[in-house]
Amino acid sequence: MCRSFLLLACLLLLSGSSWGCFQCFLADLSLTMTRLCSTHVLDHYAITNVDSCFKMVGRAFDGNEKVIEAARVGDGYEDQLKEIMNNELLSIVEDIDKKLNTETDYEERLQTAADNFIAAASKLPRASECFPPCGFQGKNAVYNCVTCKYDSCEFPLDCPVKEMQVEENNRTRMMCDVPFRLPKNVEVVWRFAEEVKTQKVTLFEDVTTGVDVLYSIPATSLQHTGTYQCEIYSDGRSIVRLYFYLTVTPQVAVGHTELQEVFDLCLLPGGQLLPGSDDGPPSIFHPTLVLLTVCFTSVLLVIHLSLGGLILSARKDRISFEEV
């Protein structure tokens, strides 16, 4: 028995990297496998064969895609998987420990244990869906029983740059918000790279550090033009980096653009209006009609004032001439 145990230990050390799901779940792999395979007997030769038993276990669990898929549970449920696996295999061990068992007996018992594991593991909570395109989503990781680790969503930390535009002296806000669940204790760092649109980390300088996911500028100026970076940490580990490129338009340019639009409307060829939709006759309160009315009224008012000034001047000249 001692010799068999040593042989089994050697085989485990040599083949440990290929055990996959099986090695993740057993509390004591060496002891369990020793008890499980010590009574395995080949049908045709009537001799105990540990290596054949190992291969049979591998077919039932490690090479079983249904077992691997059932083990893809959410964060923190790997202990329940281990408990399910140990209960199923220990029940086999207790049943076969005191007598020799043929290959057929093992095959049937191991397949039943695998089916029971799949049914029980499939009822455990699954991981949440991954939200593209960026961010480390730890709560959305799934357990991989081949590597005995959790697989993250494998998205980059850096999100694409979001374009923003605001007029000078106006208020603007940026929200460091993500569509996935964040840990309870997070730290938020806001940084700024003046005048450039970039994601190069070395170009940014820290602005604020704390827990505030909202960054507000009460009155923008030209010096606020540039890229803002928001980085969220948890326990010193970076979770996501968001970028906002802000363009500030000067007020003079804004006013000039508005006056140019009014002037262009006043000088339409032939006094025609801009092409409209064919849904029906234009309303008398259409913005274009109102604007044209204001333009023409202003022109007429200037003409009347000019004529009035000329008439008044002519009258003064006539009175002065008569007095002379």
Side-chain angles (χ1 to χ4, degrees):
M1 181 66 182
C2 182
R3 184 179 178 182
S4 299
F5 179 81
L6 291 175
L7 177 61
L8 176 60
C10 292
L11 288 171
L12 286 174
L13 291 174
L14 292 173
S15 60
S17 60
S18 63
W19 277 109
C21 290
F22 199 66
Q23 71 171 1
C24 293
F25 300 139
L26 291 183
D28 191 332
L29 178 62
S30 179
L31 179 60
T32 303
M33 288 300 295
T34 299
R35 296 179 62 189
L36 183 65
C37 293
S38 61
T39 60
H40 176 258
V41 177
L42 295 178
D43 289 337
H44 299 292
Y45 303 101
I47 59 174
T48 303
N49 190 295
V50 175
D51 186 54
S52 176
C53 177
F54 277 23
K55 293 178 180 179
M56 194 177 298
V57 173
R59 289 195 300 271
F61 292 98
D62 295 339
N64 192 334
E65 289 295 331
K66 291 183 179 180
V67 170
I68 296 173
E69 187 61 33
R72 294 186 182 278
V73 295
D75 183 39
Y77 289 96
E78 70 274 17
D79 289 340
Q80 284 88 328
L81 291 175
K82 293 177 182 179
E83 183 179 355
I84 295 170
M85 179 68 76
N86 275 277
N87 290 340
E88 290 299 326
L89 291 181
L90 287 177
S91 65
I92 298 177
V93 169
E94 292 172 358
D95 191 28
I96 67 176
D97 208 11
K98 297 180 180 180
K99 60 180 180 178
L100 298 179
N101 297 270
T102 64
E103 286 183 278
T104 304
D105 293 332
Y106 267 92
E107 198 80 53
E108 292 177 354
R109 291 173 185 273
L110 288 173
Q111 187 57 53
T112 300
D115 292 340
N116 291 340
F117 174 83
I118 294 169
S122 298
K123 296 178 182 178
L124 294 177
R126 305 286 102 178
S128 303
E129 181 183 359
C130 290
F131 292 92
C134 54
F136 177 76
Q137 304 170 35
K139 295 295 182 181
N140 298 16
V142 294
Y143 190 72
N144 187 340
C145 71
V146 176
T147 60
C148 306
K149 296 179 180 179
Y150 279 91
D151 294 333
S152 67
C153 296
E154 298 181 354
F155 292 140
L157 287 177
D158 294 302
C159 297
V161 180
K162 180 181 179 182
E163 301 273 354
M164 297 181 66
Q165 187 168 351
V166 65
E167 297 175 3
E168 190 179 14
N169 294 325
N170 283 346
R171 184 177 184 179
T172 187
R173 293 181 174 183
M174 286 163 273
M175 183 69 71
C176 194
D177 193 18
V178 291
F180 53 86
R181 190 159 48 114
L182 292 172
K184 291 183 179 179
N185 299 321
V186 297
E187 181 184 24
V188 182
V189 179
W190 284 93
R191 302 184 180 95
F192 177 57
E194 189 174 357
E195 295 184 354
V196 294
K197 180 180 179 182
T198 182
Q199 288 183 291
K200 193 173 181 179
V201 177
T202 56
L203 297 179
F204 290 87
E205 295 183 0
D206 290 1
V207 179
T208 64
T209 301
V211 296
D212 197 351
V213 296
L214 175 66
Y215 187 79
S216 177
I217 304 176
T220 55
S221 62
L222 297 181
Q223 66 184 15
H224 289 120
T225 296
T227 306
Y228 294 81
Q229 180 204 76
C230 164
E231 187 165 9
I232 301 178
Y233 293 89
S234 177
D235 296 328
R237 181 178 185 177
S238 181
I239 296 177
V240 66
R241 287 192 289 256
L242 285 79
Y243 296 85
F244 306 87
Y245 179 64
L246 181 66
T247 302
V248 180
T249 306
Q251 268 193 338
V252 175
V254 173
H256 177 75
T257 301
E258 293 176 351
L259 289 175
Q260 185 65 42
E261 291 176 355
V262 173
F263 184 74
D264 291 342
L265 285 172
C266 291
L267 296 181
L268 289 173
Q272 298 178 356
L273 300 179
L274 290 173
S277 61
D278 298 330
D279 296 338
S283 169
I284 60 172
F285 296 107
H286 192 280
T288 305
L289 292 177
V290 174
L291 187 59
L292 287 175
T293 303
V294 172
C295 290
F296 288 125
T297 303
S298 300
V299 173
L300 291 175
L301 180 60
V302 171
I303 294 174
H304 279 86
L305 290 175
S306 299
L307 290 176
L310 291 173
I311 294 173
L312 182 60
S313 177
R315 286 182 178 179
K316 287 183 179 181
D317 293 340
R318 182 178 178 183
I319 293 173
S320 299
F321 179 78
E322 290 177 353
E323 288 179 351
V324 174

